[in-house]
Amino acid sequence: MAAAIEAKKNGIDDIVILERDVQLGGILNQCIHNGFGLHTFKEELTGPEYAGRFMAEVKRLEIPVETGCMVLSISPEREITVVSRAQGLRVIKADAIVLAMGCRERPRGALNIPGTRPQGIYTAGTAQKMVNCEGYMPGREVVILGSGDIGLIMARRMTLEGAHVKVVAELMPYSGGLKRNIVQCLDDYGIPLKLSHTVVDIRGKRRLEGVTIAQVDARGVPVPGTEEDYACDTLLLSCGLIPENELSLTAGVSINRATNGPFVDDALETDVPGVFACGNVLHVHDLVDFVSEEAGRAGRSAAAYIRRQGQKANAPKVIRVQPGDGVRYTVPSTIDLNNMDGEVHLRFRVRDVYKGRSIRVLAGGEAIVTKKRKIMVPSEMEDVVLKRDALKDCDLTVEIGGGV
Amino acid sequence: MTRNMTCIGCPMGCDLIVEVENGVAVSVTGNSCGIGKKYAETEVAAPTRMVTSTAPSDGGGPVPVRTRVAVPKDKIFDVVADIKATVVKRPVAIGDVVIEDAAGTGVPVIATKAVE
């Protein structure tokens, strides 16, 4: 929606939003908790309220929307094959496409947890949809594996709905979610968080009866003798999100192994001309405000691409942005110096927990930006703004430096 | 007395150091903005939380709701019980008051999604 709004405001009238769900808003519709929109709207909103603001703007700008339709493929020539009950099978030829398909959750099958295969095991987001949108409780005695934000939010949600959340186990020695969610979702309700712990066994034939949790060593291997049994009828998994790029692949977009999202330049354009990406399909975010900002930028870029009929304003001069020490990836991975805006947001995640260190952006071995950070954690995306004037005609490396 | 806490005012989660005297926060450091200072003062005096939940509706699915502002932390479960005992009449718009006064807190509960 944010991409469509910006494209419209930048002079493009022939737009359509293709949505698989029956309503706009995506995952925000099931995120009924507060904490959205503090940066964008300077208010603390819930997910549906945040989405509602954008829906109102889409409506005001009279941007066409098709819900309940499924895109089957996108060709490198930007032909979109879409099927819906209302209109059957169609091919839409687009001048530009903004990919905004979001991400999906890592399921049990991808986690290799030993044990039986009873009912009662859900990803946290599936449980969230059942409870918040459909009004069903997945179970009463709950263990949560993984401390991603959805897992933490669901620990509180299930508690408020009358369930007993016994423990949240996290494989890593640090939480996968935001600090505020540990405080207000676990600490407030006395739910223990066990770091460096994982589920090593699942029991139950028809319905889940219990799980075994064990401590893991520095390599993530369970430590014998530390096993603890928990009786439960529900196991929620909050073990990571993966950008949903099946359609990007049909278009021939190259995928970054570090993010599982497309490689993009500073305009958020993929390596297929006229195809842009934003939000969780590009890289998994923790703040919706960042998603909307990024989507707006993709929408503006798509509009500019159409206005210039695919031609760049200036001859490109492309530099690469590379992750250095302590940095897992960067978005974007290239910057076109001759066509970029006055500044570019460089977003990335760190590999480990770093206290009292700094972010350094190096150009030809020289630091052009140094930002002090009290603490950096893998669960919280970093954002550094690079000014056009500070860049030189050489590749950039982003790394975690010492204290300054 | 010094209390360490994590601000929940926004996703930044600033680590706050709060000097408390006689149950009142006399100094707050570590915050990046006014929200952190206010959070620390309230958290020391009388902690509050915004409550979000879903209320049943007449014939439709659950309607997401929230308290308009934060309510005392010890009233959370009472507020949820009130929400669960309420049946929302459709159609409902974002911001419509669903409960005038949730569990005697004086705080209204509002709908957070338009449901037809």
Side-chain angles (χ1 to χ4, degrees):
Chain A
M1 286 195 280
I5 288 166
E6 280 299 316
K8 177 91 183 187
K9 285 181 175 169
N10 281 273
I12 305 300
D13 285 321
D14 191 6
I15 302 174
V16 64
I17 300 176
L18 300 175
E19 169 59 51
R20 183 170 58 185
D21 205 344
V22 295
Q23 58 187 343
L24 289 176
I27 212 72
L28 285 166
N29 287 309
Q30 67 185 61
C31 298
I32 65 161
H33 53 279
N34 54 307
F36 297 89
L38 271 160
H39 294 271
T40 312
F41 298 114
K42 311 290 172 215
E43 288 183 63
E44 188 161 7
L45 304 172
T46 64
E49 287 172 298
Y50 186 92
R53 300 280 172 103
F54 284 85
M55 284 181 210
E57 187 69 354
V58 164
K59 200 169 174 186
R60 190 182 71 79
L61 293 171
E62 297 176 350
I63 297 169
V65 173
E66 285 186 33
T67 54
C69 65
M70 180 89 178
V71 174
L72 301 178
S73 71
I74 300 171
S75 77
E77 293 74 36
R78 298 187 302 277
E79 293 151 337
I80 300 162
T81 307
V82 56
V83 65
S84 71
R85 252 170 203 265
Q87 305 204 45
L89 188 74
R90 281 173 303 154
V91 175
I92 301 171
K93 175 79 177 83
D95 291 325
I97 297 171
V98 177
L99 304 172
M101 295 91 78
C103 59
R104 54 186 173 203
E105 299 175 279
R106 186 168 282 127
R108 181 190 172 182
L111 296 170
N112 290 329
I113 309 172
T116 58
R117 301 182 62 189
Q119 56 163 285
I121 303 169
Y122 303 90
T123 56
T126 301
Q128 188 180 43
K129 180 150 193 173
M130 286 173 70
V131 176
N132 293 346
C133 300
E134 283 151 28
Y136 300 115
M137 276 292 276
R140 293 284 156 193
E141 298 289 321
V142 185
V143 169
I144 298 178
L145 174 61
S147 59
D149 285 311
I150 318 167
L152 300 176
I153 293 288
M154 281 311 290
R156 173 177 63 182
R157 188 77 189 99
M158 296 290 282
T159 305
L160 289 179
E161 286 290 316
H164 176 212
V165 180
K166 297 189 160 178
V167 66
V168 176
E170 168 59 55
L171 179 72
M172 303 304 284
Y174 47 82
S175 161
L178 299 171
K179 272 179 286 181
R180 71 191 304 242
N181 285 336
I182 308 270
V183 174
Q184 60 181 358
C185 298
L186 300 188
D187 297 352
D188 273 6
Y189 300 93
I191 300 167
L193 170 62
K194 292 199 156 202
L195 299 173
S196 298
H197 278 71
T198 193
V199 172
V200 294
D201 193 22
I202 291 172
R203 290 181 302 281
K205 192 167 161 65
R206 299 184 73 85
R207 178 76 195 191
L208 180 64
E209 288 165 10
V211 299
T212 304
I213 289 177
Q215 201 182 331
V216 297
D217 63 20
R219 290 170 303 145
V221 179
V223 178
T226 62
E227 296 89 353
E228 271 183 283
D229 289 345
Y230 287 85
C232 59
D233 59 19
T234 306
L235 174 66
L236 300 187
L237 306 172
S238 180
C239 303
L241 299 165
I242 304 156
E244 189 168 329
N245 273 295
E246 273 70 15
L247 289 174
S248 320
L249 290 171
T250 66
V253 167
S254 301
I255 302 293
N256 183 341
R257 292 278 301 268
T259 55
N260 286 311
F263 283 107
V264 291
D265 63 12
D266 54 287
L268 302 178
E269 188 173 8
T270 67
D271 59 353
V272 176
V275 177
F276 301 79
C278 59
N280 283 347
V281 78
L282 177 56
H283 57 147
V284 173
H285 292 63
D286 27 75
L287 300 187
V288 73
D289 305 272
F290 280 18
V291 172
S292 303
E293 185 277 332
E294 198 174 86
R297 204 145 39 96
R300 282 192 296 279
S301 298
Y305 179 91
I306 294 170
R307 276 202 314 272
R308 297 209 184 91
Q309 299 181 319
Q311 302 298 310
K312 302 275 186 198
N314 305 304
K317 189 195 276 182
V318 176
I319 59 167
R320 287 186 299 168
V321 187
Q322 288 167 321
D325 282 349
V327 174
R328 239 166 43 77
Y329 71 86
T330 65
V331 168
S333 37
T334 58
I335 297 174
D336 182 343
L337 293 176
N338 285 354
N339 292 292
M340 69 178 285
D341 294 339
E343 59 181 41
V344 58
H345 283 269
L346 200 59
R347 289 184 176 148
F348 61 93
R349 284 184 194 272
V350 294
R351 282 191 189 281
D352 206 344
V353 176
Y354 299 101
K355 284 187 178 160
R357 303 282 291 273
S358 61
I359 298 166
R360 295 205 299 175
V361 182
L362 306 173
E366 184 200 333
I368 55 164
V369 175
T370 305
K371 293 270 180 207
K372 218 163 83 177
R373 288 281 194 270
K374 265 190 283 187
I375 186 161
M376 289 178 276
V377 293
S379 59
E380 298 182 18
M381 188 184 288
E382 294 293 340
D383 181 10
V384 173
V385 176
L386 297 181
K387 303 271 185 217
R388 167 72 187 88
D389 304 337
L391 300 178
K392 289 174 285 188
D393 188 11
C394 58
D395 291 350
L396 300 177
T397 303
V398 186
E399 63 172 30
I400 304 308
V404 277
Chain B
M1 186 184 72
T2 306
R3 266 183 71 180
N4 296 305
M5 55 179 78
T6 304
C7 180
I8 62 169
C10 87
M12 290 254 299
C14 293
D15 290 317
L16 308 178
I17 302 155
V18 190
E19 291 301 332
V20 182
E21 275 174 29
N22 303 321
V24 178
V26 289
S27 96
V28 182
T29 49
N31 55 314
S32 318
C33 71
I35 296 172
K37 186 166 182 287
K38 207 172 161 196
Y39 170 76
E41 288 166 358
T42 317
E43 195 68 6
V44 169
T48 60
R49 296 287 184 270
M50 192 184 277
V51 177
T52 64
S53 183
T54 52
S57 70
D58 52 348
V63 174
V65 298
R66 69 170 164 97
T67 52
R68 181 171 281 157
V69 292
V71 298
K73 204 170 145 183
D74 57 10
K75 291 280 187 184
I76 291 175
F77 283 93
D78 297 334
V79 169
V80 171
D82 237 12
I83 291 170
K84 292 297 166 190
T86 305
V87 177
V88 177
K89 285 197 177 59
R90 296 173 304 147
V92 64
I94 292 178
D96 282 3
V97 174
V98 170
I99 302 172
E100 295 282 350
D101 174 5
T105 57
V107 174
V109 170
I110 58 172
T112 58
K113 187 172 169 56
V115 181
E116 297 202 346

